[in-house]
């Protein structure tokens, strides 16, 4: 017998699920002889790449991890006291292992199907409650992208809410974090807001031009100011006030809500989330109740299910972009769910006493350090402080000597204003660390440090009494129950078991690309060399990160065909915005300030028009044809009409309808001929990689959803990363950063950190490294194969709404369910019934109302695709029973779905179908039943009776019962 040695452990075989035999069977079902034939019939020849991707040879998992460890080891993890919103902290191992490193948590999708997301939603309610309690305001959302973004969203929201006509000025204290001021400038300019930066102690807010003001608490240099007079002046002049605050400090400081602030923003990073060289972290946003209908981002609320039980769901304006489009007040369509879950669970585990003790210890060490420095003759200028000292040195030479000595001792301080040094202590600072800091100063100054350093037995708060917190926080039982590890472990597992994730079954969401998040890709995320670096650490300490960035940028340039890539945008929506700003910057640099019209197809994702308006553009909608494509005649007419004002076209490719539009090159040429640029939404890049590219099609800029095509997990609704690629003449207009220059650019950031969510970029780096160019191309081919296989199996049961000239779909398709309305069956009924079969629903009613958009990805096997198809066919038969009259139009298995264990475990079963039909509709379900924990949720009820925190439900029983009776009307 002759055997052939060859690699046995190939990562591509793990990621691309269909094997050769399954591929052959699927091709037969589709009716083609080969994948090549399928691709030829699907992707227009005019846009195909002329050569394969030039990427490094694919590595095995073992080889990659060994190589990446060498790269990461170039990062130097110093003791870092830079502060500025980022602090060393400890994520409890029980949370790290069971949430951050657990696919049951990180592979779940955004909780749009709330009945199978109750665990995550409860964890987010905990997070909102934590923020509400600590900030002293009435309502909080389920996180934003970072502190700078939250501050910008607050500015935009308050600008939309002011009643002062023509008020476009926004005062910002010069003591707000510098990266936040930078981001505020970016966001203010396109929408005509004038940023006035100055000393809040001397600010005059009496001008009618001011609609809002922002201060930092504690300030950027560490000073704790009493903002009572400032807020009083603002109130007297109808000026809204935003306070950016530190959650740990708020355990000791009077909360912003009690001081009179309208909005509080900040970063929950220091609640157990690693610094990660800047992210991802959950920015928080709380506000007065009056803003609950306009608060940006996602808001988790409490409602009731069909059985009257408490149930959680996303409330109010959760997907307002899809409804309001260019009138939306925000383009945010995601959150930092995984990170907010971590921060909230940190509060659950430690509870109010232990968290306050972290604050007490930190402040006590800061006092001890200040006393030691005073003995050495170092001037500390902050009259009141929490964790940060502001030191004035005698000369710039002394500052430089101090820096050299500190870095030799592997210590980082903040150096600014030539002779100033900032030192911010943190949860992990110990007395030994204070001694080491004093030792560095003593050596530079030629003095002896105090060898008998010790903490005071009692901490005396020396702040003015109005700044000392007296109100309670985190009083709900959830924050006072799970302090033993067993208790927390069981609580987290209980929540995890309520959520469906990729650990259970495929999640066939169109446009969302729920593919494999390989374990080998995830492993480096929690390495100290990746997680423990401050985003403003000196660049010579971050050489590993710089190599990761450079390699990843080069690879993404190869994939997209672009000249450069910015990694800064930390979500797809931020990528859209950054791309539009690049186009705006290009036009303005040429003197074309009047070019502000964005053409956007009617089928576009809702964030497109919202982003365009935020970038200062006027949205003009382009019609779609009956077959779902862009109406080229209308596009040309609009381009001609607005030729003098045309800024850009925003287009998704393949289209949002799941089709490779064959006119795309002509479309791009038309825009260019009229002086505009083409922005391509990269949501569907999973159908392009290796076969075509944005630049090859004619686009000038494209954002890439790394949490879709490039394998960063969705994390239950975030984190995400949305870098942008651009052609050569747009490179100068990519985002920069005011604190750390990015590729030489110093202004115009779109995220708080220079490289956005840096610590999860290794996931995409790993994916490309282990797939190689050929593997990535095959992934695209198999995504198209899997989609067309589902189409072939389901199209006789559910009409497929759009397809290409050869009858093929791209990597996703739209199933038309609108005609079931005649029988009283809504698309929502199908979505809920799929839960009984153990599946998450496809995308519901987007981009076409009453439809399901299905995307299987290349990571699902034929076996899993068949399970899904069998479930959909079975549901179609259930619909047929309603259509024929065999099943009652209202009292049927679809209308009552999903079915919980409590639903069927009743003594008297009165429904016209069996319990078995309800919960075991197919034989495979018996082997691995996923039980929804609540029945169908009443969304409208939750919006009418908004409860967004862990407030005990008993307080609302009487009110709810009255409202229920009223809503049911006189016939009840």
């Amino acid at each position: 017998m002759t055997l052939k040695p060859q690699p046995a452990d190939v990562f591509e075989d793990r990621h691309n699920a269909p094997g050769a035999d399954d591929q052959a069977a699927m091709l037969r079902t589709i009716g083609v002889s080969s994948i090549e034939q399928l691709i030829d019939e699907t992707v227009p020849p005019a846009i195909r790449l002329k050569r394969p991707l030039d990427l490094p040879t694919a590595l095995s998992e073992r080889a990659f991890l060994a190589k990446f460890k060498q790269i990461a080891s170039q990062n130097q993890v110093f003791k870092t006291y830079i502060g500025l919103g980022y602090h060393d902290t400890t994520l409890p191992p029980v949370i790290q292992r069971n949430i951050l490193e657990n696919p049951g948590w990180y592979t779940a999708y955004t909780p749009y199907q709330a009945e199978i997301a109750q665990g995550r939603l409860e964890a987010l309610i905990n997070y909102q409650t934590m923020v509400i309690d600590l900030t002293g305001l009435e309502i909080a959302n389920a996180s934003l992208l970072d502190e700078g973004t939250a501050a910008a969203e607050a500015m935009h929201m308050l600008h939309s809410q002011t009643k002062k006509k023509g008020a476009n000025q926004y005062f910002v204290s010069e003591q707000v974090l510098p990266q936040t001021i930078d981001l505020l400038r970016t966001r203010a300019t396109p929408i005509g807001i004038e940023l006035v930066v100055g000393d809040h102690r001397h600010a005059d807010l009496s001008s009618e031009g001011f609609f809002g003001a922002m201060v930092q608490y504690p300030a950027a240099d560490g000073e704790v100011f009493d903002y009572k007079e400032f807020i009083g002046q603002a109130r007297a002049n109808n000026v809204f006030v935003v306070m950016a605050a530190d959650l740990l400090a708020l355990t000791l400081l009077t909360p912003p809500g009690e001081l009179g602030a309208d909005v509080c923003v900040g970063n929950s990073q220091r609640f157990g989330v690693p610094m990660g060289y800047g992210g991802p972290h959950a920015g928080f946003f709380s506000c007065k109740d009056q803003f609950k209908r306009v608060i940006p981002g996602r808001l988790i609320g409490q409602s009731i299910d069909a059985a009257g039980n408490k149930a959680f769901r996303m409330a109010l304006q959760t997907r307002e972009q899809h409804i309001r489009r260019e009138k939306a007040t925000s383009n945010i369509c995601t959150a930092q769910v995984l990170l907010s879950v971590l921060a909230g669970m940190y509060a659950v585990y430690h509870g109010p006493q232990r968290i306050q003790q972290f604050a007490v210890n930190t402040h006590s060490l800061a006092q001890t350090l200040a006393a030691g420095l005073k003995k050495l003759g170092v001037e500390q200028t902050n009259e009141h402080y929490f964790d940060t000292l502001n030191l004035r040195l005698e000369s710039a030479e002394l500052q430089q000597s101090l820096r050299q000595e500190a870095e030799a001792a592997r210590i980082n301080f903040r150096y600014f204003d030539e002779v100033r040094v900032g030192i911010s202590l943190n949860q992990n600072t110990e007395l030994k660390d204070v001694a080491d800091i004093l030792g560095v100063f003593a050596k530079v100054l030629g003095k002896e440090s105090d060898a008998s350093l010790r903490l005071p037995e009692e901490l005396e708060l020396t702040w003015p009494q109005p700044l000392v917190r007296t109100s309670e926080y985190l009083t709900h039982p959830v924050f006072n129950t799970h302090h033993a590890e067993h208790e927390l472990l069981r609580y987290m597992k209980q929540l995890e078991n309520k959520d469906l994730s990729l650990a259970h079954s495929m999640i066939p969401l169109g446009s969302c690309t729920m593919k494999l998040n390989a374990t080998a890709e995830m492993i480096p995320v929690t390495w100290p060399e990746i997680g423990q670096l401050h985003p403003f650490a000196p660049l010579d300490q971050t050489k590993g990160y710089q190599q990761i960035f450079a390699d990843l940028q080069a690879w993404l340039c190869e994939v997209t065909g672009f000249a450069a890539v910015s990694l800064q945008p930390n979500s797809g929506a931020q990528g859209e915005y950054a791309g539009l700003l690049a186009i705006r910057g290009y036009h303005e640099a040429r003197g074309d300030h009047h070019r502000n019209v964005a053409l956007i197809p009617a089928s576009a994702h809702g964030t497109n028009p919202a982003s365009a308006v935020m970038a200062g553009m006027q949205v003009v909608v382009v019609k779609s044809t009956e077959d779902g494509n862009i109406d080229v005649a209308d596009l040309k007419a609009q381009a001609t009409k607005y030729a003098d004002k045309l800024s850009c076209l925003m287009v998704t490719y393949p289209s949002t309808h799941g089709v490779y539009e064959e006119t795309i090159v002509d479309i791009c040429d038309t825009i260019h001929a009229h002086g505009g640029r083409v922005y391509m939404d990269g949501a569907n890049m999973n159908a392009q990689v290796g076969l075509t590219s944005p630049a090859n099609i004619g686009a000038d800029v494209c954002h890439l959803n790394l949490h879709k095509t490039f394998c960063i997990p969705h994390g239950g609704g975030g984190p995400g990363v949305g870098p942008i690629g651009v052609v050569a003449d747009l490179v100068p207009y990519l985002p920069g950063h005011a604190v750390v220059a990015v590729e030489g650019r110093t202004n115009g950031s779109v995220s708080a950190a220079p490289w956005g969510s840096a610590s999860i970029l290794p996931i995409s780096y790993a994916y490309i490294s282990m797939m190689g160019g050929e593997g990535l191309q095959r992934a695209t081919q198999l995504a198209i194969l899997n989609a067309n296989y589902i189409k072939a199996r389901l199209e006789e049961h559910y009409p497929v709404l759009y397809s290409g000239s050869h009858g093929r779909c791209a990597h996703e398709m739209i199933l038309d369910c609108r005609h079931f309305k005649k029988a009283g069956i809504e698309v929502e009924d199908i979505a809920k019934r799929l839960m009984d079969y153990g599946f998450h629903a496809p995308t519901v009613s987007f981009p076409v109302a009453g439809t399901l958009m299905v995307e299987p990805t290349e990571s699902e096997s034929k076996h899993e695709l068949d399970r899904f198809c069998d479930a959909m066919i079975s549901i179609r038969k259930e619909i047929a029973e309603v259509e024929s009259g065999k099943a009652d139009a209202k009292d049927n298995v679809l209308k009552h779905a999903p079915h919980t264990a409590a639903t069927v475990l009743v003594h008297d079963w009165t429904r016209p179908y069996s319990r078995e039909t309800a919960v075991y509709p197919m034989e495979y379900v018996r082997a691995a039943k996923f039980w929804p924990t609540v029945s169908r949720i009443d969304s409208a009820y939750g919006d009418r009776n908004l409860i967004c925190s862990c407030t005990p439900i008993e307080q609302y029983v009487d009110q709810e019962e009255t409202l229920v009776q009223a809503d049911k009307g006189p016939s009840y």
Side-chain angles (χ1 to χ4, degrees), residues 235-256:
R235 190 70 60 242
N237 289 284
N238 296 316
V239 173
F240 295 120
V241 175
V242 177
M243 292 183 72
D246 182 305
L247 287 181
L248 190 63
L250 293 184
T251 64
L252 300 176
L253 286 169
T254 300

Side-chain angles (χ1 to χ4, degrees), residues 113-315:
Q113 297 296 334
E115 293 84 355
I116 49 176
Q118 288 297 296
R120 229 168 326 136
L121 290 164
E122 181 173 331
L124 292 174
I125 282 279
N126 293 346
Y127 175 84
Q128 291 179 176
T129 303
M130 174 190 82
V131 172
I132 288 169
D133 282 7
L134 289 173
T135 63
L137 286 156
E138 291 92 346
I139 197 163
N141 67 17
S143 78
L144 288 172
L145 301 175
D146 54 37
E147 180 167 340
T149 305
E153 292 290 335
M155 175 182 69
H156 197 173
M157 181 190 82
L158 296 176
H159 186 235
S160 73
Q161 295 301 299
T162 185
K163 295 180 180 178
K164 298 172 71 174
K165 292 184 178 180
N168 289 309
Q169 289 182 307
Y170 190 67
F171 178 85
V172 180
S173 167
E174 60 193 10
Q175 286 280 12
V176 168
L177 299 178
Q179 67 269 25
T180 299
I181 296 176
D182 185 29
L183 206 154
L184 287 171
R185 284 198 175 102
T186 300
R187 293 281 288 270
T189 302
I191 57 176
I193 293 176
E194 179 190 350
L195 224 60
V196 179
V197 180
D199 187 337
H200 74 272
R201 291 167 293 188
H202 307 295
D204 181 2
L205 301 179
S206 61
S207 167
E208 282 299 305
F210 283 109
F211 70 88
M214 181 179 178
V215 292
Q216 192 87 32
Y217 183 62
D221 66 4
E223 183 78 41
V224 176
F225 290 106
D226 185 346
Y227 291 112
K228 181 179 180 181
E229 289 187 10
F230 179 82
I231 294 174
Q233 183 194 171
R235 190 70 60 242
N237 289 284
N238 296 316
V239 173
F240 295 120
V241 175
V242 177
M243 292 183 72
D246 182 305
L247 287 181
L248 190 63
L250 293 184
T251 64
L252 300 176
L253 286 169
T254 300
E258 294 178 20
L259 295 174
D262 298 286
V263 179
C264 182
V265 299
N267 189 347
S268 57
Q269 178 268 318
R270 74 188 305 177
F271 271 36
V273 181
M275 288 185 288
Y277 204 43
H281 305 134
F284 66 81
F285 188 113
S286 61
C287 58
K288 291 182 176 178
D289 185 73
Q290 72 190 76
F291 303 113
K292 65 186 175 187
R293 302 280 163 176
V294 293
I295 185 172
R298 290 183 177 143
L299 190 66
I300 309 305
Q302 182 177 294
S303 187
I304 57 173
D305 71 358
N309 299 312
K310 179 177 75 173
F312 301 115
R313 54 178 286 278
M314 294 195 292

Side-chain angles (χ1 to χ4, degrees), residues 4 190 284 299 459-460 526 705 712 769 804-805 829-830 861 888 923:
K4 182 181 178 181
F284 66 81
L299 190 66
L459 174 66
E460 185 69 31
T526 51
N705 296 98
I712 291 176
S769 296
S805 59
D829 300 323
I830 301 173
S861 66
D888 185 83
E923 192 59 32

Side-chain angles (χ1 to χ4, degrees), residues 864-878:
E864 187 69 2
L865 301 182
D866 283 334
R867 281 203 323 122
F868 173 71
C869 290
D870 290 345
M872 289 297 293
I873 292 168
S874 178
I875 289 173
R876 180 64 186 91
K877 292 176 181 176
E878 294 172 346

